[in-house]
């Protein structure tokens, strides 16, 4: 997914829409030095510890542009969207502590936005009309790299393009195994695991997190030494916004060669795409860990996109001996540095390394997303049906498939909250887009839900697994039972075991230890399993 840049027209539309759903506060906190409100008011509480220029109340002139600045999915620029009463844009961990403490004191929940890809928009909207504020980490984006120690600290508001760029300036032969898209936000991505083209070599982003700084539900700052084993385990893959606000992450950086090779091989159905895809399923997870070949399938085409940690001379004998049908030759090789491959893969051959610092793009789209995991190859007949019947339907979208195996598959299911390890052939991300203000959504949403139903016999079962960073509210949402003020564990299991399998119970028990009142909650946050 790419970042959405807001036009003047869409900003105006957003400001109109913001008047619905939640309570309206007319004070412009961005400009008011002394808000004209009672001392007990939530905004007054914030203003006592946070500069007024970093506070935006609903109805203020700048609120709309700040809110919409990192909304990627235009489905949630809607009159049906429940938006926050306030936006806090901290520049220091103390500001985050103030926001949490004030929220607890005045019964205003906090949601957290790191400014990346949020498929269901849960970091800035609510499906329940309750008063809430968001802590937007847009101003907390520092990246500090220690090339000698091969470590980095990165704040949660950074995008991974900024992280990659900072690493490359320190050393051209160090890397970090996070996502493909430079505009992914660090905070949410690492919280859910995080993987990209280095997953087979180095595993998940969260597998390579060494330490964190977290503001917990009591407003206290915790780190690896103070938080305990369960808490650290939970924030390294247990999904964002459930356990507190992760302010920054200490990362293990990994060595890569000075030259890597990228291949991009589009194949049409009439060029044997189905046969290639059928073979790829079993073959790609068995490649040496230095080679990753993923597939993007849509319409009548499959694009085989590969990253090899080495030169073309080393790649060619490997791929021609293991996968000769793909037809890779020297003309398909694109040699470059690792950081250049980030720009090349996502932005194209003419992109520069500095382009990965761009936090916005011109793409404006509405979208719906789902995911699956595959342990047994689909038959050629099934792929024929997918191309013939499903990719020709109105609203049809795309399947992006990432092969597992090698390093990502080595840890045990319970070693981290991310359970999709041994035996996984590949992950599927289903995407459907539609464009234009007021564009009809019925066909693409029907397509992705019907196609997901069609795929049920061919993917994991009991539970049917999904990737938490491809958040999907179709899987279920939290419920607060009558007479309670915490999310129901029973309701949470419906969706939670799809993301986390047996690890969901440990996550819920950890939640009960660190946030028993369920202060940090959204439609798919971990519920507390209270004794």
């Amino acid at each position: 997914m790419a970042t959405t840049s807001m036009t003047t027209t869409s900003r105006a539309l957003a400001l109109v829409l913001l008047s619905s759903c939640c309570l309206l506060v007319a004070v412009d906190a961005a400009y008011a030095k002394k808000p004209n409100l009672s001392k007990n008011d939530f905004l007054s509480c914030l203003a006592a510890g946070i500069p007024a220029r970093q506070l935006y109340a609903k109805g203020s002139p700048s609120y709309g542009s700040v809110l919409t600045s990192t909304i990627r999915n235009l489905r949630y620029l809607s009159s049906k969207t429940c938006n926050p009463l306030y936006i806090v844009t901290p520049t220091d961990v103390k500001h985050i502590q103030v926001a949490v403490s004030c929220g607890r004191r005045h019964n205003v929940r906090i949601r957290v936005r790191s400014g990346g890809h949020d498929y269901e928009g849960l970091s800035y909207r609510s499906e329940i009309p309750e008063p809430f504020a968001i802590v937007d980490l847009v101003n907390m984006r520092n990246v500090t790299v220690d090339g000698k120690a091969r470590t980095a600290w990165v704040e949660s508001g950074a995008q991974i393009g900024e992280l990659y760029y900072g690493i490359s300036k320190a050393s051209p032969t160090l890397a970090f195994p996070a996502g493909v898209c430079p505009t992914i936000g660090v905070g949410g991505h690492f919280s859910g695991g995080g993987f990209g083209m280095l997953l087979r070599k180095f595993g998940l982003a969260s597998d390579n997190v060494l330490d964190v700084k977290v503001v917990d539900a009591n407003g206290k700052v915790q780190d690896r030494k103070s938080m305990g084993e369960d808490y650290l385990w939970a924030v390294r893959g247990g999904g964002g916004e459930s356990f507190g606000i992760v302010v920054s992450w200490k990362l293990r950086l990994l060595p890569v060669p000075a030259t890597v090779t990228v291949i991009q091989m589009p194949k049409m159905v009439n060029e044997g795409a189905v046969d290639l895809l059928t073979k790829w399923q079993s073959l790609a997870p068995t490649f040496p860990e230095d080679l990753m070949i993923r597939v993007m399938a849509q319409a009548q085409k499959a694009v085989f996109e590969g990253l090899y940690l080495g030169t073309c001379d080393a790649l060619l004998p490997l791929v021609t001996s293991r996968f000769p049908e793909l037809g890779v030759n020297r003309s398909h090789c694109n040699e470059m540095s690792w950081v250049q491959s980030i720009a090349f893969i996502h932005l194209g051959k003419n992109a520069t390394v500095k382009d990965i610092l761009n936090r916005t793009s011109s793409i404006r789209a509405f979208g719906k997303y789902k995911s699956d995991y595959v342990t047994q190859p689909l038959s050629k007949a099934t792929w024929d049906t997918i191309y013939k019947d499903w990719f020709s339907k109105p609203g049809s979208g795309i399947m992006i498939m990432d092969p597992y195996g090698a390093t990502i598959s080595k840890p045990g299911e319970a070693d981290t909250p991310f359970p999709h390890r041994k035996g996984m052939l590949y992950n599927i991300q289903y995407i459907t887009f539609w464009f234009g203000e007021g564009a009809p959504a019925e066909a693409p949403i029907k397509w992705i839900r019907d196609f997901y139903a069609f795929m049920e016999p061919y993917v994991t079962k009991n539970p049917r697994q999904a990737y938490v960073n491809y958040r999907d509210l179709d899987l279920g949402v939290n419920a607060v039972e009558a007479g309670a003020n915490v999310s129901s564990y029973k309701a949470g299991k419906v969706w939670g075991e799809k993301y986390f399998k047996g690890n969901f119970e440990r996550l819920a028990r950890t939640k009960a230890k660190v946030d028993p009142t369920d202060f940090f909650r959204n439609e798919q946050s971990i519920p507390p399993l209270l004794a």
Side-chain angles (χ1 to χ4, degrees):
M1 283 291 294
T3 310
T4 303
S5 59
M6 302 302 298
T7 65
T8 301
T9 301
S10 61
R11 283 196 182 99
L13 173 62
L15 285 169
V16 172
L17 299 179
L18 295 176
S19 63
S20 66
C21 189
C22 295
L23 299 173
L24 177 65
V25 176
V27 175
D28 185 349
Y31 297 95
K33 294 182 179 179
K34 295 181 180 180
N36 186 23
L37 298 168
S38 71
K39 291 182 180 179
N40 293 327
D41 183 86
F42 174 66
L43 181 57
S44 295
C45 183
L46 293 176
I50 303 172
R53 65 181 178 276
Q54 294 168 217
L55 305 175
Y56 302 86
K58 196 169 187 180
S60 71
S62 301
Y63 172 95
S65 60
V66 173
L67 178 66
T68 60
S69 61
T70 58
I71 292 180
R72 311 289 194 254
N73 193 342
L74 299 190
R75 290 178 67 195
Y76 305 120
L77 285 179
S78 162
S79 60
K80 298 179 181 179
T81 301
C82 182
N83 292 317
L85 290 171
Y86 308 98
I87 303 171
V88 182
T89 55
T91 56
D92 188 272
V93 66
K94 292 180 181 179
H95 300 155
I96 299 174
Q97 292 177 278
V98 169
V100 172
S101 296
C102 291
R104 292 293 297 267
R105 188 178 308 160
H106 296 285
N107 199 28
V108 176
R109 296 195 181 280
I110 301 293
R111 298 194 180 211
V112 189
R113 181 164 74 171
S114 62
H117 300 187
D118 185 349
Y119 283 171
E120 294 285 9
L122 301 184
S123 61
Y124 55 83
R125 75 176 186 98
S126 174
E127 293 208 332
I128 302 169
E130 66 175 1
F132 72 99
I134 64 172
V135 169
D136 189 327
L137 299 173
V138 64
N139 294 322
M140 300 190 71
R141 310 205 311 260
N142 288 334
V143 177
T144 304
V145 178
D146 185 336
K148 187 174 182 180
R150 293 185 176 180
T151 61
W153 275 100
V154 56
E155 291 184 318
S156 284
Q159 294 180 346
I160 60 172
E162 295 169 308
L163 171 62
Y164 293 158
Y165 186 84
I167 294 170
S168 73
K169 299 305 288 184
S171 171
T173 55
L174 287 176
F176 189 73
V180 172
C181 208
T183 51
I184 296 170
V186 160
H189 189 56
F190 294 178
S191 294
F195 60 76
M197 297 299 283
L198 293 178
L199 69 86
R200 306 191 68 256
K201 179 68 173 179
F202 298 124
L204 301 173
S206 60
D207 293 342
N208 294 284
V209 169
L210 301 173
D211 201 350
V212 293
K213 287 187 172 65
V214 183
V215 175
D216 69 14
N218 295 314
K220 295 181 180 179
V221 179
Q222 304 278 2
D223 62 12
R224 183 168 196 150
K225 290 182 180 179
S226 65
M227 67 197 312
E229 180 182 345
D230 284 345
Y231 199 171
L232 180 66
W233 176 86
V235 299
R236 295 170 66 236
E241 294 195 59
S242 292
F243 305 99
I245 301 175
V246 183
V247 180
S248 56
W249 310 75
K250 185 180 182 180
L251 311 177
R252 176 193 300 114
L253 306 183
L254 289 311
V256 290
T259 300
V260 305
T261 304
V262 178
I263 58 171
Q264 292 174 330
M265 304 284 293
K267 297 289 185 178
M268 304 302 293
V269 169
N270 61 11
E271 296 174 321
V274 170
D275 288 329
L276 291 170
L277 190 46
T278 303
K279 182 171 183 178
W280 168 89
Q281 298 174 102
S282 300
L283 184 61
T286 71
F287 281 140
E289 62 183 13
D290 287 340
L291 177 60
M292 163 81 168
I293 299 179
R294 66 173 186 161
V295 181
M296 291 155 284
Q298 66 180 137
Q300 293 299 297
K301 181 170 65 175
V303 178
F304 295 80
E305 184 169 65
L307 174 68
Y308 178 67
L309 300 179
T311 64
C312 182
D313 284 343
L315 170 64
L316 287 179
L318 168 61
V319 74
T320 53
S321 64
R322 299 287 297 275
F323 200 6
E325 298 89 346
L326 191 57
V328 178
N329 60 48
R330 190 167 297 278
S331 70
H332 301 121
C333 290
N334 301 277
E335 293 185 331
M336 60 195 73
S337 68
W338 169 76
V339 74
Q340 286 173 323
S341 77
I342 301 297
F344 184 98
I345 288 172
H346 183 66
L347 300 170
K349 64 180 181 180
N350 295 322
T352 68
V353 171
K354 284 193 173 182
D355 289 335
I356 69 175
L357 294 174
N358 184 3
R359 291 175 63 89
T360 62
S361 83
S362 59
I363 296 176
R364 293 180 51 77
F366 300 75
K368 175 63 183 172
Y369 313 83
K370 301 180 83 66
S371 64
D372 262 322
Y373 279 90
V374 178
T375 57
Q376 298 294 325
L378 278 63
S379 68
K380 180 179 183 296
T382 301
W383 284 113
D384 280 331
T385 299
I386 289 171
Y387 273 98
K388 180 181 178 182
D389 295 346
W390 288 98
F391 285 158
S392 62
K393 288 181 180 292
S396 65
I398 184 171
M399 299 169 70
I400 300 177
M401 291 161 281
D402 297 290
Y404 279 26
T407 303
I408 195 172
S409 298
K410 289 179 181 178
E413 281 191 2
D415 288 356
T416 71
F418 182 96
H420 321 290
R421 302 289 192 170
K422 186 177 180 180
M424 293 299 167
L425 293 180
Y426 56 94
N427 168 277
I428 303 174
Q429 180 180 188
Y430 308 98
I431 304 174
T432 185
F433 292 117
W434 59 103
F435 298 90
E437 303 291 348
E442 290 81 2
I445 290 181
K446 177 176 171 52
W447 177 83
I448 198 168
R449 287 174 174 162
D450 289 352
F451 185 38
Y452 183 78
F454 164 81
M455 289 293 292
E456 184 173 7
Y458 310 111
V459 297
T460 51
K461 300 172 179 63
N462 301 316
R464 183 175 183 176
Q465 297 175 49
Y467 176 39
V468 68
N469 278 355
Y470 299 155
R471 189 148 339 243
D472 177 12
L473 293 185
D474 290 351
L475 301 181
V477 295
N478 280 334
V480 177
E481 295 176 350
N485 193 31
V486 298
S487 302
S488 160
Y489 176 75
K490 181 179 179 181
K493 283 182 67 174
V494 174
W495 58 264
E497 290 188 344
K498 294 178 173 68
Y499 293 138
F500 302 113
K501 298 186 68 178
N503 295 331
F504 182 72
E505 181 176 333
R506 182 179 174 187
L507 288 169
R509 292 189 184 279
T510 303
K511 171 76 168 183
K513 293 178 185 177
V514 304
D515 184 16
T517 64
D518 203 21
F519 177 68
F520 289 110
R521 79 180 182 213
N522 61 39
E523 289 74 8
Q524 280 190 352
S525 58
I526 302 296
L529 181 54
L530 302 170

